[in-house]
Amino acid sequence: MVIHRQITLSAHVNQRTKLLASFSLALPLCFLAAVVFGAVELPWSATARSLLGLESDSRTTMIVLEIRLPRALMAAFIGALLAICGAVTQGLFRNPLADPSLIGVTAGATTGAAMVIFFASSFTSLQGLAGLSLVSLGAFAGGALTVLFVYRLATSSRGTSVATMLLAGVAITALAGGLSGLLEYFSNNEMLRRISLWRMGGLDGANQQSVAVAAVFTLAIVFVLPRYANALNALLLGESEARHLGIRVQRVKLQLVLIVALGVGLSVALAGSIAFVGLVVPHIIRLMVGPDHRLLLPASALGGAILLLLADTVARVAIAPVELPVGIVTAFLGAPFFISLLRYRHQYGMQ
Amino acid sequence: MSLLSVNKLCVRPKQAPQPLLTDISLDVNPGEIVCVIGPNGAGKSTLIKSIAGDIAHQSGSILFENIASNPTLRARQLAVLPQFSLLNFPYRVYEVVALGRVPHRSGVQKDDQIIRRCMALMDIADLEQRRYTTLSGGEKQRVQLARVIAQLWSSRNSGSLPRLLLLDEPTTALDLGHQRMLMQTIGQLAEQEIGIVMVLHDVNLAARYADKILALRQGENLAFGTPDMVITQPYMEILFKTPVTIVPHPNHGSPILVSDDG
């Protein structure tokens, strides 16, 4: 009996360590691959040496440090951010289909950012760190309002309605499209240029400054969110049950909504809208190790970084030298995934 | 000194046409089993939810003696089993029961022992590695029961704290054997000075195991007292609006209600 107990306990621990260890190994490899592959394929060894700072002033080093490295870093940070925010949103909504891009949060954040560009561009240039912070703030506000709205609408004491949640997402995306259209209609040429430049943004806009911002916030969010793992686990039982387990439900919900809005808003401000990462990654990890957030959250962050690095590499190589926006690749990957999830949703007891 | 005293409790939400509960008073002492019976819609679940703090009451009071107000500390002393479970994520059975240990800081080893003990009590040890979403209704019910029992399980330092367990229809989905097993476990918990308030549909089960029974009818207290005082022909015929006969159980003599439908 005692031996049996130790075996199951350690098997459990083993499974966790194995997953995190394999992800931690895969991440640097994918990162290296993302730097090696591109319009020009670089030699692996020279690339690795350049990344480690052992080689300087070669052509390879220049391509690595100036072009490929910021973009790969940005892809890894944004991927981690989107996946962990997706996992948290699904826990919050008690629904594995709740991806920020599907329930309108991304659209809300995009509109928030566009409004900031529209109203602020007349008196500031929106360049550099100040501009980036302002646009991020707009995206954050838009995203936060959307999550709160959709949550109010779709969640009752009996759970979250998938239909209401997704339809609210459709409505908000339509509203956001309308608002953006209206903004563009009233924009002068200069503002139009700015909005569309920003919207095309994507990962290719990555520079040292934006990568630094992404690094600070992503690392902060990735280290803060696992503190909510127990609360999210308890929330999956239901809100009253979580309260009976000693979770301060209202406070935790509000904090999580704000963190998710911050993460999604930041990723929208830095890289435009990239759909489905927050849906695909947590789902695959749940299939592998179950829904325990203590493992799901860190594993999602690692998995999201890996997925977006690979997707961005495909986006840059597929029809080189032309680079596709990475959102196109994740959409092709994520949409079929989402449809299959819809098909098998009864396994989650959803109508 | 009672663990819980409910005094003249009235619950009347704004949208409700009539009050859900009117002037309900009851006391629960440590180690006492109080069963709430009554027809559908009598306000049994409402009573459990108001004691649990899930819904607000309009007048009257609910007082806990020596139960902490800090949420985490309170969760070590007050556990609630709701009537329906929302859980639709594929946790393993072990993980669901382990959620009962969230408010505690008793360490992985100790928690593991408690979780296994509670799974054995509810006869779900064999289901340990199964996904919750693949279980039958009765199995899910037993997993949730094991979770709330694990939540109140005393680790060394909180052994002497007063504890209260609220159960909303814990036996509904269970077969006869598991019903008996549950009621015996509840008896053991009561021996450890845990106060228990439970909604039961089965009047005979209440008559056999309860120290006190509260009969609710349309949100009002029809009768409150020992099983012999409450399970009587006049009260039961008013309560369920059907002719009944009360006979003593051949083995232990507690009252048994038989429907007169012939």
Side-chain angles (χ1 to χ4, degrees):
Chain A
M1 185 65 197
V2 173
I3 296 164
H4 167 74
R5 176 182 307 159
Q6 279 169 352
I7 288 170
T8 47
L9 243 189
S10 63
H12 198 59
V13 172
N14 258 339
Q15 195 187 23
R16 288 160 171 263
T17 16
K18 256 188 218 157
L19 183 84
L20 286 180
S22 53
F23 274 21
S24 312
L25 267 175
L27 183 56
L29 285 178
C30 293
F31 191 84
L32 189 60
V35 178
V36 165
F37 293 110
V40 188
E41 191 180 328
L42 303 173
W44 287 82
S45 60
T47 309
R49 280 202 304 278
S50 308
L51 281 175
L52 295 170
L54 302 174
E55 186 172 308
S56 52
D57 53 63
S58 73
R59 194 181 68 104
T60 303
T61 313
M62 204 197 75
I63 296 179
V64 166
L65 295 185
E66 296 296 318
I67 302 170
R68 302 260 172 99
L69 181 62
R71 181 160 180 162
L73 281 172
M74 189 60 108
F77 287 133
I78 299 293
L81 207 53
L82 288 174
I84 201 171
C85 286
V88 170
T89 312
Q90 286 140 30
L92 209 53
F93 279 81
R94 275 178 253 130
N95 193 315
L97 291 177
D99 179 63
S101 62
L102 290 172
I103 61 172
V105 182
T106 311
T110 311
T111 310
M115 285 175 96
V116 167
I117 296 176
F118 179 81
F119 289 110
S121 62
S122 42
F123 43 90
T124 72
S125 65
L126 287 176
Q127 295 294 312
L129 203 59
L132 189 62
S133 330
L134 214 57
V135 175
S136 305
L137 207 65
F140 165 69
L145 282 175
T146 316
V147 197
L148 287 173
F149 176 72
V150 177
Y151 193 88
R152 276 279 167 80
L153 205 64
T155 305
S156 69
S157 57
R158 279 162 297 151
T160 306
S161 152
V162 186
T164 316
M165 183 183 79
L166 294 178
L167 290 175
V170 170
I172 286 177
T173 309
L175 180 69
L179 271 175
S180 301
L182 205 62
L183 289 180
E184 281 166 27
Y185 187 77
F186 286 108
S187 291
N188 56 32
N189 280 342
E190 174 61 15
M191 289 176 193
L192 257 185
R193 200 180 62 83
R194 285 217 172 106
I195 293 180
S196 56
L197 257 183
W198 169 75
R199 206 182 268 164
M200 285 190 297
L203 295 170
D204 55 346
N207 54 39
Q208 279 183 354
Q209 213 163 38
S210 60
V211 168
V213 173
V216 170
F217 282 96
T218 305
L219 292 177
I221 288 175
V222 166
F223 281 103
V224 164
L225 279 179
R227 298 167 58 111
Y228 292 90
N230 271 332
L232 281 165
N233 283 339
L235 269 174
L236 287 188
L237 288 171
E239 285 189 21
S240 321
E241 286 84 340
R243 212 168 46 74
H244 299 145
L245 283 169
I247 310 293
R248 292 172 166 89
V249 173
Q250 293 306 324
R251 201 163 85 176
V252 164
K253 259 167 41 185
L254 184 67
Q255 287 169 350
L256 285 175
V257 162
L258 292 179
I259 295 173
V260 165
L262 180 68
V264 174
L266 193 76
S267 81
V268 163
L270 289 170
S273 63
I274 299 170
F276 292 118
V277 176
L279 182 83
V280 173
V281 174
H283 188 77
I284 293 176
I285 291 169
R286 265 189 227 107
L287 284 180
M288 290 195 289
V289 292
D292 184 350
H293 287 87
R294 285 174 296 180
L295 185 57
L296 179 66
L297 295 181
S300 288
L302 289 172
I306 291 172
L307 180 73
L308 205 59
L309 276 169
L310 292 179
D312 187 49
T313 309
V314 171
R316 286 180 294 117
V317 176
I319 49 168
V322 179
E323 294 182 348
L324 288 169
V326 69
I328 293 181
V329 178
T330 60
F332 275 123
L333 190 74
F337 203 89
F338 174 62
I339 291 166
S340 84
L341 263 177
L342 265 184
R343 202 175 142 72
Y344 294 107
R345 69 187 183 282
H346 59 267
Q347 288 175 354
Y348 282 92
M350 293 185 296
Q351 294 298 305
Chain B
M1 183 189 74
S2 56
L3 193 55
L4 165 73
S5 17
V6 176
N7 197 12
K8 292 190 182 303
L9 182 73
C10 293
V11 176
R12 178 169 197 171
K14 276 185 196 124
Q15 67 274 24
Q18 60 205 33
L20 300 179
L21 290 175
T22 313
D23 271 347
I24 302 299
S25 300
L26 81 149
D27 284 339
V28 182
N29 295 309
E32 205 168 47
I33 301 175
V34 176
C35 289
V36 184
I37 60 170
N40 300 334
K44 305 185 295 292
S45 292
T46 306
L47 178 61
I48 293 284
K49 283 180 192 160
S50 15
I51 297 173
D54 290 339
I55 53 178
H57 52 273
Q58 276 60 47
S59 65
S61 65
I62 299 170
L63 294 175
F64 297 102
E65 189 83 40
N66 291 326
I67 288 189
S69 54
N70 168 290
T72 310
L73 298 180
R74 168 172 286 218
R76 296 178 192 176
Q77 297 181 269
L78 175 66
V80 185
L81 177 82
Q83 195 174 349
F84 304 106
S85 159
L86 292 169
L87 184 59
N88 57 4
F89 276 68
Y91 280 112
R92 293 188 191 284
V93 165
Y94 182 96
E95 293 172 315
V96 179
V97 181
L99 285 174
R101 301 305 295 171
V102 163
H104 296 267
R105 297 279 174 278
S106 37
V108 180
Q109 294 282 326
K110 183 88 188 161
D111 281 352
D112 184 59
Q113 281 173 17
I114 294 169
I115 292 160
R116 280 171 201 288
R117 189 76 195 280
C118 295
M119 287 197 299
L121 279 174
M122 286 297 111
D123 192 25
I124 51 169
D126 295 342
L127 306 177
E128 183 195 322
Q129 291 300 317
R130 285 270 301 276
R131 299 285 180 197
Y132 180 81
T133 39
T134 65
L135 302 179
S136 75
E139 289 168 335
K140 285 183 180 174
Q141 181 87 324
R142 270 143 57 205
V143 174
Q144 295 286 352
L145 279 161
R147 173 177 71 79
V148 292
I149 294 172
Q151 187 183 340
L152 284 192
W153 204 271
S154 61
S155 45
R156 236 170 311 133
N157 46 5
S158 62
S160 57
L161 288 173
R163 286 166 290 162
L164 182 65
L165 179 59
L166 306 175
L167 305 168
D168 196 350
E169 298 201 10
T171 58
T172 314
L174 303 186
D175 58 58
L176 211 56
H178 285 120
Q179 281 188 5
R180 181 157 181 271
M181 198 182 68
L182 170 66
M183 295 311 291
Q184 284 174 344
T185 304
I186 286 173
Q188 287 168 24
L189 296 175
E191 277 167 24
Q192 295 168 39
E193 295 295 288
I194 296 181
I196 289 143
V197 182
M198 60 195 294
V199 171
L200 279 183
H201 250 303
D202 187 334
V203 174
N204 295 331
L205 220 50
R208 171 80 177 96
Y209 291 97
D211 294 310
K212 287 187 220 154
I213 294 178
L214 171 66
L216 278 183
R217 180 173 167 270
Q218 291 172 4
E220 290 175 25
N221 175 347
L222 177 72
F224 180 50
T226 61
D228 288 327
M229 288 160 62
V230 178
I231 311 296
T232 61
Q233 192 182 9
Y235 278 143
M236 292 302 108
E237 287 188 346
I238 297 172
L239 198 62
F240 295 111
K241 291 183 186 154
T242 180
V244 299
T245 304
I246 309 288
V247 293
H249 190 282
N251 296 347
H252 46 71
S254 61
I256 291 185
L257 175 132
V258 185
S259 177
D260 283 354
D261 50 358

